[in-house]
Amino acid sequence: MKMMMRGSSSRGSSMAHNHWTSISSHPPFSDLSDINNNKCLPGQPLSSSTKINSKPKTLPREHIDRYKRGDTHPVSALYQLSQVLQFQLDMKETVTTAGITGFYFAFCAVIDGVQYKTGMGITKKEARAKAAELALEELIASLENDGIRSDVSAGPPPLPVREKDSTIPEVHSGRAVIERKNPIKDQVPNVVMEMFTKLMDSYPEFSGCGGTVAAFVMLSPAGCEVVALGTGSSNTKSSPAPTGRILHDSHAVVTVRRSLMRFLYRNLLLFFSKNSALEEKSVFQQDQTTKLLSLKNHFTLHLYLSQLPKGAAQIPSQLRLNPLSISAWEVNNQIGLHAVVEGKVFSKFSSSYEQMGSHVVSMSATDKIMQWQVLGFQGALLSHFIEPVYVSSIFIGNGSCSDTRGMEMAVNQRVDGITSALPLYYCVYRPHISLVSSAVPPDAHPSQKSLSLNWSHGDLLVEVVNALDGKSTEDSPFKSSPALASRLCKAAMLSRFNLVAKEAQREELLTAVTYREAKMMAKPYQEAKSVLKSYLERKGYGQWVEKPPISDHFSM
């Protein structure tokens, strides 16, 4: 993971080769005209009756020859090859390379998840053409080296892989797909299981907390390491209060995200310690131009989830595979925003949700992940110090889950097209989403469903929270105070924020009296948040639920 800047960049090609803003070749799912026009849903394999799966009338050799003669535009030629060879193609907007600044646009081709060289131009059309040209150059060279078969009905030839990783063929939807072997995909479940087992062995009395597990894993030159872990599947019944000491949402992905924030605060204190030995241990480095911090080079962040998150990610398979058999309303009802009330999930368009009135409402875990992949996982307060934090991969360790298409649509495709409206540094970051082996031991029994466990790198003890009242339990190994306020609560975050602001000598931040005031001072973050919410509503996905402002009007 890098913390990414949209537009021109002084970070060179390494940034461009690891991060891109998303301009997908697929239209947003909310454009229901695709259903009426018999098109497939984004990310969905075409039906057997679709032309692309029949034997192509034109062989790849003829496509390539026409392109080489200049009879076919590079972008058209690349899309033609994607149809004949049946690979997935996206043209994605990214950042300029090699320190080039000014009014340039940049695009890259992504073929079956493999990113090719960045093309630049003074217009988007020119940049796309250059990116397609660069991809074709490598793709054609590889195909010609391997030999282009005169009969492609037997399946596509292996696509080139830029990295030197080995490839393993898998069969999906009746066609061979050559995927880049991703070592992190194998490492993540192992390190998460190792950490989860270690914590459960240390606290066997809380082994029933592990029904739903989420973890952030950081990959660095030193190796793969869990930096935050959380469990939980409930939210509180308590009403919002102006204290900042109640956790309203204790679902695993929310818990682990707040644990990640504690990890980031800890590393900010190391960076600003004025001690070179401690600063070296921090995961951060400083951009001398912006003075904001970003993760050190070659550090990436990955998210593990033991289950598909609640909400649109759990869209039923038949809804995706048979779009012509359902109504437009039903599609929007499934892919739109969802709210969680007392652990139950409601579509924002359902009549049941309308009747929930006075209850404490949280957005679904799927919607929150989508939001964090645009605004960053760091939140408003941390954005005063660091660039947006995005995850490079999301791994689902659920054996009963057969595909991640719902997750792809909900997290990635609902926000396609928003990038150009976002302020500097913010973008649509599309993580690689895939299924992995489970990191939860098969003998784990989620008997303590109302309890939520949290831990982050550097913690000596775990904290156990009663999700129903939003406070630490009496027998929690870690307790911050007799009042049992969780170390993940807003008041605790504000305390860390003030401490970092003091260490960083950011006197202007210390003038904020309340938690809300400190958040609203992060103007680029608030602008990006406003753009996202209005975009979702305009696209017909529903209105984002805001917690009552009273919950943020507290001071230390």
Side-chain angles (χ1 to χ4, degrees):
M1 172 211 65
K2 291 261 198 280
M3 300 174 193
M4 182 171 179
M5 181 173 75
R6 184 170 58 85
S8 60
S9 170
S10 61
R11 299 200 178 209
S13 60
S14 63
M15 186 174 182
H17 283 299
N18 286 300
H19 299 86
W20 54 83
T21 57
S22 173
I23 304 292
S24 174
S25 60
H26 301 302
F29 188 78
S30 58
D31 186 356
L32 298 174
S33 62
D34 284 356
I35 293 178
N36 299 327
N37 293 331
N38 297 334
K39 294 181 181 178
C40 285
L41 301 181
Q44 176 187 331
L46 300 172
S47 66
S48 57
S49 62
T50 310
K51 180 178 178 182
I52 194 171
N53 276 347
S54 61
K55 184 175 179 178
K57 296 179 180 179
T58 307
L59 301 179
R61 179 79 267 168
E62 297 178 27
H63 284 290
I64 292 170
D65 289 343
R66 282 206 302 268
Y67 165 67
K68 287 184 173 181
R69 291 195 304 267
D71 297 337
T72 308
H73 188 274
V75 175
S76 299
L78 193 56
Y79 273 98
Q80 286 172 4
L81 280 181
S82 75
Q83 291 183 337
V84 172
L85 301 179
Q86 296 184 330
F87 58 72
Q88 183 175 347
L89 169 66
D90 282 325
M91 298 298 293
K92 296 183 182 293
E93 189 171 8
T94 182
V95 294
T96 56
T97 61
I100 296 175
T101 58
F103 296 102
Y104 285 91
F105 293 93
F107 277 80
C108 66
V110 180
I111 297 175
D112 275 357
V114 179
Q115 184 179 352
Y116 285 70
K117 292 177 182 176
T118 300
M120 290 176 285
I122 58 174
T123 65
K124 288 190 175 183
K125 183 177 180 180
E126 183 180 325
R128 282 194 192 97
K130 185 62 178 176
E133 192 178 310
L134 291 169
L136 283 166
E137 183 180 311
E138 291 191 45
L139 182 61
I140 290 172
S142 177
L143 290 171
E144 289 180 336
N145 288 338
D146 293 339
I148 300 177
R149 292 169 289 180
S150 59
D151 182 2
V152 298
S153 60
L159 295 177
V161 177
R162 291 172 55 80
E163 290 79 356
K164 295 182 180 180
D165 302 310
S166 61
T167 57
I168 50 174
E170 295 181 3
V171 177
H172 295 289
S173 307
R175 69 182 181 90
V177 178
I178 304 301
E179 292 187 346
R180 178 172 45 140
K181 185 178 180 181
N182 186 1
I184 189 70
K185 183 176 180 180
D186 301 325
Q187 294 180 51
V188 165
N190 293 334
V191 295
V192 173
M193 176 175 280
E194 183 181 336
M195 177 54 68
F196 180 75
T197 302
K198 180 180 178 181
L199 294 176
M200 291 300 96
D201 287 347
S202 300
Y203 307 100
E205 67 272 29
F206 298 112
S207 59
C209 297
T212 306
V213 179
F216 282 104
V217 175
M218 184 164 285
L219 182 65
S220 71
C224 189
E225 188 172 20
V226 177
V227 296
L229 187 143
T231 73
S233 57
S234 303
N235 49 357
T236 183
K237 294 183 178 181
S238 302
S239 300
T243 65
R245 288 164 172 79
I246 300 293
L247 291 181
H248 293 290
D249 191 338
S250 293
H251 285 85
V253 73
V254 177
T255 298
V256 77
R257 184 250 181 169
R258 296 182 77 81
S259 297
L260 173 70
M261 292 164 73
R262 293 183 61 243
F263 170 77
L264 297 176
Y265 274 118
R266 185 174 285 134
N267 278 269
L268 283 174
L269 290 173
L270 289 174
F271 184 87
F272 292 121
S273 66
K274 301 181 181 65
N275 180 310
S276 57
L278 293 178
E279 183 180 341
E280 181 62 29
K281 293 181 179 180
S282 173
V283 299
F284 290 116
Q285 63 185 7
Q286 190 168 45
D287 186 304
Q288 294 305 315
T289 302
T290 66
K291 300 303 179 183
L292 288 175
L293 304 188
S294 64
L295 287 188
K296 290 178 178 176
N297 295 334
H298 311 301
F299 280 59
T300 56
L301 195 66
H302 307 265
L303 175 61
Y304 170 85
L305 303 172
S306 67
Q307 298 178 12
L308 278 175
K310 293 179 179 179
Q314 298 183 0
I315 182 172
S317 296
Q318 65 270 21
L319 199 62
R320 301 193 299 279
L321 299 177
N322 302 297
L324 298 179
S325 66
I326 59 174
S327 67
W329 177 88
E330 193 174 349
V331 174
N332 270 340
N333 192 50
Q334 294 288 345
I335 202 64
L337 298 177
H338 288 70
V340 179
V341 184
E342 295 184 358
K344 297 179 181 179
V345 184
F346 300 89
S347 166
K348 287 298 301 297
F349 300 104
S350 72
S351 57
S352 299
Y353 168 73
E354 300 284 339
Q355 300 167 8
M356 296 312 293
S358 60
H359 292 73
V360 174
V361 179
S362 299
M363 295 304 296
S364 73
T366 300
D367 296 330
K368 288 185 175 183
I369 293 172
M370 173 196 66
Q371 175 188 235
W372 296 330
Q373 281 299 115
V374 176
L375 304 182
F377 282 77
Q378 79 293 330
L381 295 186
L382 279 164
S383 69
H384 284 291
F385 310 103
I386 63 179
E387 295 175 17
V389 176
Y390 302 110
V391 297
S392 299
S393 313
I394 299 177
F395 299 113
I396 312 296
N398 186 347
S400 62
C401 180
S402 59
D403 65 66
T404 60
R405 292 177 196 149
M407 189 78 171
E408 291 277 0
M409 286 188 285
V411 173
N412 293 334
Q413 294 169 15
R414 288 192 298 182
V415 287
D416 268 350
I418 194 178
T419 296
S420 60
L422 294 170
L424 195 63
Y425 301 113
Y426 295 90
C427 67
V428 174
Y429 192 99
R430 295 183 59 155
H432 179 71
I433 302 173
S434 59
L435 300 175
V436 296
S437 58
S438 175
V440 180
D443 58 347
H445 301 292
S447 56
Q448 297 162 302
K449 294 183 179 180
S450 65
L451 299 185
S452 170
L453 178 149
N454 69 77
W455 173 91
S456 68
H457 187 273
D459 287 341
L460 297 177
L461 301 170
V462 300
E463 180 184 58
V464 178
V465 171
N466 183 339
L468 299 182
D469 64 20
K471 295 182 179 182
S472 301
T473 62
E474 291 282 357
D475 55 351
S476 171
F478 175 88
K479 291 189 286 289
S480 59
S481 70
L484 299 178
S486 170
R487 60 188 177 188
L488 301 185
C489 71
K490 291 179 178 180
M493 295 297 176
L494 181 59
S495 176
R496 294 185 188 96
F497 169 77
N498 287 332
L499 183 57
V500 171
K502 183 178 179 181
E503 291 296 312
Q505 298 181 339
R506 295 285 299 276
E507 300 299 327
E508 79 281 7
L509 298 180
L510 295 173
T511 62
V513 176
T514 65
Y515 180 82
R516 179 172 179 79
E517 189 177 344
K519 285 173 58 178
M520 298 310 294
M521 287 172 68
K523 296 191 182 302
Y525 181 91
Q526 296 300 337
E527 179 187 347
K529 188 176 182 180
S530 176
V531 168
L532 173 63
K533 291 179 178 178
S534 61
Y535 181 87
L536 292 170
E537 191 168 1
R538 187 170 70 252
K539 287 291 184 178
Y541 295 121
Q543 190 173 27
W544 195 272
V545 176
E546 293 283 3
K547 290 213 169 46
I550 189 174
S551 63
D552 288 350
H553 287 296
F554 65 90
S555 57
M556 295 306 297

